[in-house]
Amino acid sequence: MPNGKSLDDTVKNMLYIASLDNYLMGLKSLVRKGKPHPVLAIRIQLSAHLRENLKTLGLRRVSKALTVTDVLNGHDETPASPNAEGIQ
């Protein structure tokens, strides 16, 4: 059973990732002097860490199978996973 520390770490990672996403969306370009912005590397590392934390907590992405009727009715968007990994 996961401890509270891994849950705390997961929540902090989600906050950091959201903050970095907000910062990156405010930039005019994600490329600086022909190279990716350095913050992108940090965001990628945090995302990988979050993914591992979610695995440790026993959470995983689950796809919903769509029927032909769902697609025809325009319900082809996958709903957010109830386990919160839809953050990526």
Side-chain angles (χ1 to χ4, degrees), residues 3-87:
N3 59 22
K5 188 145 179 90
S6 59
L7 183 59
D8 291 345
D9 190 38
T10 301
V11 172
K12 287 178 188 175
N13 270 298
M14 292 170 74
L15 175 64
Y16 297 149
I17 290 170
S19 296
L20 290 175
D21 285 346
N22 190 36
Y23 171 75
L24 290 168
M25 289 299 123
L27 297 176
K28 289 182 181 179
S29 174
L30 297 177
V31 178
R32 292 172 83 187
K33 300 179 183 177
K35 295 182 180 179
H37 196 288
V39 174
L40 284 170
I42 296 168
R43 201 253 185 238
I44 291 169
Q45 288 176 340
L46 285 173
S47 296
H49 187 68
L50 175 62
R51 199 170 14 261
E52 291 304 313
N53 280 352
L54 292 172
K55 285 180 188 175
T56 300
L57 292 171
L59 303 175
R60 59 185 171 86
R61 293 185 101 164
V62 179
S63 298
K64 178 184 175 188
L66 296 176
T67 65
V68 173
T69 307
D70 291 336
V71 174
L72 292 175
N73 289 331
H75 299 117
D76 55 351
E77 295 181 18
T78 359
S81 177
N83 60 21
E85 190 172 342
I87 303 298

